[in-house]
Amino acid sequence: MLQVLACGVVVFPGLFFIFRRVLPSIFKQWTDADVVLVSERYWLATYFVIWYGVPYMTYDIYAMYLSHYYRFRVKGHEEYKEHSLTTVNSFVRREFLLVLHHIALLTILLPVTLFFRRDQGDYFIGCLFLTELSTPFVSLGKILIQLGLQDCWVHKANGGMVLLSFFLCRIALFPYMYWVYGRHYGIPIYGVPFHLTLSVNLGNLCILAPQVYWFVLLCRKGWRLYQRQRHATAAAGSQDSSPLPPPSTSLTDNQPKGDH
């Protein structure tokens, strides 16, 4: 078990720093912010065993901070010339919910999973792992933007997969696993919460709540992008169908008005 934990400590930070060194040589036009943003994401992390969770979440917080730091540094913010408590505080305030999510997983969910559930609830733990199935699509969307491919069909299709996978694996998953649990024990779905302990129900609720919030944000963003593209298409269509502009003054001064 300690060997697996040690591997987790090495693998994720190792991949992060390797990508940070390799990507600039491949994509020379990328800034430090672009490199860190791509380097911090590695979708296989969510498919490893539970002992990879602690090093993964710890490194991910650090990687997200670096992404935030370099993003504002390349924009020329004076306070981002070097790392400081100001930059850390700004990161925590801007990404408070994400930071809280990671800290809660480290300090509550993982210890409960490892030490306090007494080998019970394997079904729920397995279902909770599925919540990260949407992460590869979210990461791919950000990488496509970094590559300047945000207008291609792949990015649009990936956006649809983000919404679909996020809804199925992070929201619909919770009533589904209650339904399967009730079906297994022969109780209706509305009776499942009363069949489980209060801690299980509260834990699921605490995990579900931010997922609903993030899904609403994703839907709003998707709707804004759709409206923007729709207006751009309509504007381009109106320009294509508009009549030719009137002749210039130099050509019309000597023409009789009846010719117009």
Side-chain angles (χ1 to χ4, degrees):
M1 186 176 294
L2 292 179
Q3 291 178 345
V4 177
L5 178 60
C7 290
V9 173
V10 173
V11 167
F12 298 112
L15 288 173
F16 174 72
F17 287 110
I18 289 174
F19 284 139
R20 281 200 64 190
R21 295 296 180 268
V22 173
L23 289 177
S25 63
I26 301 176
F27 303 101
K28 299 183 183 300
Q29 74 278 15
W30 282 11
T31 65
D32 288 338
D34 298 332
V35 173
V36 171
L37 178 64
V38 174
S39 300
E40 72 167 309
R41 303 189 173 275
Y42 188 67
W43 65 273
L44 286 176
T46 57
Y47 293 91
F48 285 108
V49 295
I50 189 64
W51 275 105
Y52 272 70
V54 173
Y56 171 67
M57 289 297 171
T58 304
Y59 116 89
D60 201 34
I61 293 177
Y62 175 67
M64 288 191 301
Y65 163 72
L66 284 185
S67 179
H68 165 86
Y69 174 80
Y70 283 111
R71 186 169 68 250
F72 282 88
R73 182 176 178 177
V74 298
K75 291 180 180 180
H77 291 262
E78 293 293 329
E79 62 271 22
Y80 283 84
K81 288 185 176 180
E82 60 182 13
H83 299 282
S84 65
L85 289 177
T86 302
T87 60
V88 174
N89 183 54
S90 176
F91 163 69
V92 173
R93 285 189 288 105
R94 288 179 177 271
E95 306 292 346
F96 176 77
L97 192 57
L98 271 176
V99 174
L100 180 63
H101 168 72
H102 281 66
I103 293 177
L105 290 178
L106 284 170
T107 59
I108 300 176
L109 181 62
L110 289 179
V112 168
T113 302
L114 292 172
F115 306 114
F116 300 113
R117 66 185 182 95
R118 293 172 296 183
D119 295 327
Q120 296 178 347
D122 288 342
Y123 169 70
F124 289 103
I125 298 300
C127 287
L128 291 178
F129 277 128
L130 292 177
T131 60
E132 294 296 336
L133 194 59
S134 62
T135 302
F137 300 106
V138 176
S139 301
L140 177 59
K142 294 181 179 294
I143 293 174
L144 290 174
I145 293 175
Q146 298 301 127
L147 294 173
L149 300 176
Q150 60 268 29
D151 295 326
C152 72
W153 68 269
V154 177
H155 185 264
K156 297 175 183 177
N158 183 74
M161 289 302 301
V162 168
L163 293 177
L164 179 62
S165 61
F166 200 98
F167 176 77
L168 291 178
C169 299
R170 296 196 175 215
I171 297 179
L173 173 68
F174 288 87
Y176 172 77
M177 67 181 183
Y178 272 56
W179 174 74
V180 172
Y181 183 90
R183 184 180 180 184
H184 178 75
Y185 285 101
I187 57 178
I189 186 172
Y190 59 81
V192 172
F194 302 100
H195 194 260
L196 299 173
T197 62
L198 179 62
S199 59
V200 171
N201 290 312
L202 288 178
N204 286 328
L205 182 61
C206 291
I207 297 174
L208 175 62
Q211 313 307 323
V212 174
Y213 172 75
W214 285 324
F215 182 72
V216 171
L217 292 183
L218 286 174
C219 289
R220 287 180 177 177
K221 182 178 181 180
W223 177 251
R224 288 197 302 267
L225 292 175
Y226 170 75
Q227 290 291 88
R228 187 183 308 166
Q229 184 177 11
R230 182 181 179 184
H231 292 158
T233 304
S238 62
Q239 290 179 357
D240 294 339
S241 60
S242 62
L244 294 175
S248 62
T249 304
S250 60
L251 297 177
T252 59
D253 286 343
N254 297 328
Q255 291 183 353
K257 295 181 179 180
D259 291 344
H260 295 282

